[in-house]
């Protein structure tokens, strides 16, 4: 009898070790992000400012030179270039024979460029949290709300990124993001977005011993009862770390025989389904989620340029390398090929510069 208990204890210890190794692998997979735009070595913002000045002076504009500089610098480095540009050229006298450049790099770029190429350049020159805050404002301003944009931005990021977006939103618009969302969305979908904005996910806890209990709670809140307890779905998906929730989803599949994503499809609908499914997909494979979003921005007749620009600009310094790998797996062709087939001119060259790495 004593030997039986010892063997059972050993099995439990081995199982626990396997769970911990899996949790560590899950945590490692979150860290292995591959950007396509990284900080330039031997960075010289003054020389870059001079190159941009030269590209805009005289007759015509050297778009290739602008692309060569701005597509190969990080957001932080572009901000340094802006400061050096103003320092060097802010008081330059105009002699009447040259174009009236101001010494404000963003204003000068706007005066020289146009169309979607200009849109990408201006997005690159805006600090990422502020750029995304402006995209959120655009999604809720005026008549109607672009829920898909809200979900793409708010349901896919870690606490630190969301906090920076919230702060940028308040500093720019003098309004709290949560209040804006409260007035523009409703019901359980609003609760989900507000929960994401709380920036309270316990990102450090990846104890797989909690997984079975949480999986049981998800089951009882959905497929294990008549009706759905959406608030319980929201609580669990917004409170726990990605590695732990991956373990939860594995346990859920053992309990029910199908994925939690299937449960979301059968139990939820509308904007809440979109939001919950996005959270689930990002927990499972964030790069694959963004690969699908990029594909959707170019699929069918026409191009959703705003989404395409936002996705490329916001992910190129984070995990565009991973996204490209997932895009190839999902669609059996490189992301660059679809971009080249869908857009043209300097707009295409700049996007490819950011995606190629």
């Amino acid at each position: 009898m004593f030997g039986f208990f010892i063997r059972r204890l050993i099995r439990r210890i081995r199982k626990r070790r396997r769970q911990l190794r899996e949790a560590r692998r899950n945590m490692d997979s979150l860290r292995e992000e591959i950007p396509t735009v990284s900080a330039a070595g031997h960075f010289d913002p003054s020389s870059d400012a001079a190159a941009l000045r030269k590209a805009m002076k005289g007759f015509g504009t050297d778009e290739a030179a602008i692309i060569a500089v701005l597509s190969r610098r990080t957001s932080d480095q572009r901000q340094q270039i802006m400061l050096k540009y103003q320092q060097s050229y802010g008081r330059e006298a105009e002699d009447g024979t040259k174009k009236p450049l101001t010494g404000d790099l963003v204003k000068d770029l706007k005066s020289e460029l146009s169309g979607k190429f200009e849109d990408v350049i201006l997005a690159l020159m805006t600090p990422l949290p502020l750029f995304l805050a402006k995209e959120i404002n655009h999604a809720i301003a005026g008549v109607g709300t672009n829920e898909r944009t809200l979900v793409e931005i708010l349901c896919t990021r870690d606490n630190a990124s969301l906090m920076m977006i919230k702060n940028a939103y308040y500093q720019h618009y003098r309004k709290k993001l949560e209040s804006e969302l409260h007035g523009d969305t409703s019901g359980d979908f609003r609760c989900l977005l507000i929960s994401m904005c709380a920036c309270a996910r316990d990102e450090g806890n990846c104890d797989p011993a909690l997984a079975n209990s949480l999986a049981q709670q998800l089951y009882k809140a959905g497929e294990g009862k008549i009706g759905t307890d959406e608030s319980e779905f929201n609580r669990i998906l917004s409170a726990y770390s990605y590695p732990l929730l991956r373990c939860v989803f594995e346990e859920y599949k053992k309990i029910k025989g199908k994925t939690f994503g299937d449960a979301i499809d059968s139990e939820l609908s509308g904007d809440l389904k979109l939001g919950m499914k996005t959270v689930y997909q990002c927990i499972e494979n964030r790069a694959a989620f963004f690969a699908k979003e990029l594909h959707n921005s170019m699929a069918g007749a026409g191009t959703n340029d705003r989404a395409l620009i936002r996705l490329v600009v916001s992910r190129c310094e984070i995990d565009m390398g991973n996204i490209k790998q997932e895009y190839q797996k999902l669609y059996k062709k490189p992301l660059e090929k679809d971009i080249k087939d869908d857009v043209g001119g300097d707009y295409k060259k700049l996007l490819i510069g950011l995606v190629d790495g």
Side-chain angles (χ1 to χ4, degrees), residues 309-321:
I309 292 169
R310 182 175 61 250
L311 290 162
V312 171
V313 169
S314 66
R315 304 312 299 184
C316 63
E317 289 185 44
I318 302 172
D319 58 356
M320 185 57 74

Side-chain angles (χ1 to χ4, degrees), residues 90-313:
R91 297 184 180 182
E92 184 177 275
E94 295 174 19
D95 60 9
T97 63
K98 299 175 182 178
K99 291 183 288 189
L101 299 177
T102 67
D104 182 317
L105 179 55
V106 171
K107 286 183 179 179
D108 287 349
L109 288 167
K110 287 181 72 173
S111 72
E112 294 294 309
L113 309 176
S114 62
K116 301 304 175 187
F117 178 62
E118 177 190 354
D119 292 343
V120 185
I121 290 292
L122 295 182
L124 290 172
M125 299 310 296
T126 307
L128 184 58
L130 177 58
F131 170 64
L132 292 174
K134 289 181 175 182
E135 289 294 287
I136 291 171
N137 183 259
H138 183 269
I140 60 180
V143 179
T145 303
N146 188 331
E147 291 84 4
R148 193 173 193 93
T149 298
L150 295 180
V151 166
E152 177 213 305
I153 296 173
L154 297 175
C155 294
T156 61
R157 286 169 167 80
D158 60 20
N159 292 340
S161 299
L162 288 168
M163 184 61 72
M164 287 190 288
I165 293 169
K166 282 173 56 178
N167 291 340
Y169 195 98
Y170 182 77
Q171 290 169 9
H172 192 74
Y173 296 105
R174 291 299 163 188
K175 297 177 182 178
K176 290 186 176 180
L177 177 55
E178 293 92 332
S179 299
E180 296 276 82
L181 294 171
H182 195 276
D184 220 70
T185 58
S186 61
D188 294 311
F189 179 62
R190 176 170 64 195
C191 291
L192 174 64
L193 297 183
I194 298 297
S195 294
M196 295 295 127
C197 287
C199 307
R201 186 183 297 282
D202 183 1
E203 294 174 335
N205 184 0
C206 58
D207 183 0
L210 300 173
N212 185 265
S213 172
L214 291 172
Q216 293 283 357
Q217 292 172 50
L218 284 175
Y219 177 70
K220 291 174 182 176
E223 295 180 299
K225 61 178 287 186
I226 297 174
T228 306
D229 186 349
E230 291 88 352
S231 64
E232 189 72 347
F233 277 23
N234 185 13
R235 179 185 70 82
I236 293 173
L237 264 64
S238 64
Y240 296 95
S241 70
Y242 278 21
L244 175 54
L245 286 170
R246 288 196 192 100
C247 296
V248 171
F249 298 153
E250 290 174 7
E251 291 297 317
Y252 189 95
K253 191 171 183 180
K254 293 175 186 176
I255 294 168
K256 183 59 183 173
K258 63 179 183 179
T259 69
F260 184 65
D262 294 330
I264 292 173
D265 288 335
S266 62
E267 294 290 318
L268 304 178
S269 61
D271 296 330
L272 180 62
K273 175 181 173 180
L274 172 66
M276 290 281 188
K277 195 67 180 285
T278 296
V279 175
Y280 168 77
Q281 290 174 337
C282 283
I283 291 166
E284 289 285 67
N285 188 333
R286 181 156 35 202
F289 167 79
F290 282 113
K292 292 172 186 175
E293 290 298 294
L294 279 164
H295 185 263
N296 290 339
S297 73
M298 297 180 283
T303 304
N304 185 341
D305 293 291
R306 191 175 198 104
L308 177 59
I309 292 169
R310 182 175 61 250
L311 290 162
V312 171
V313 169

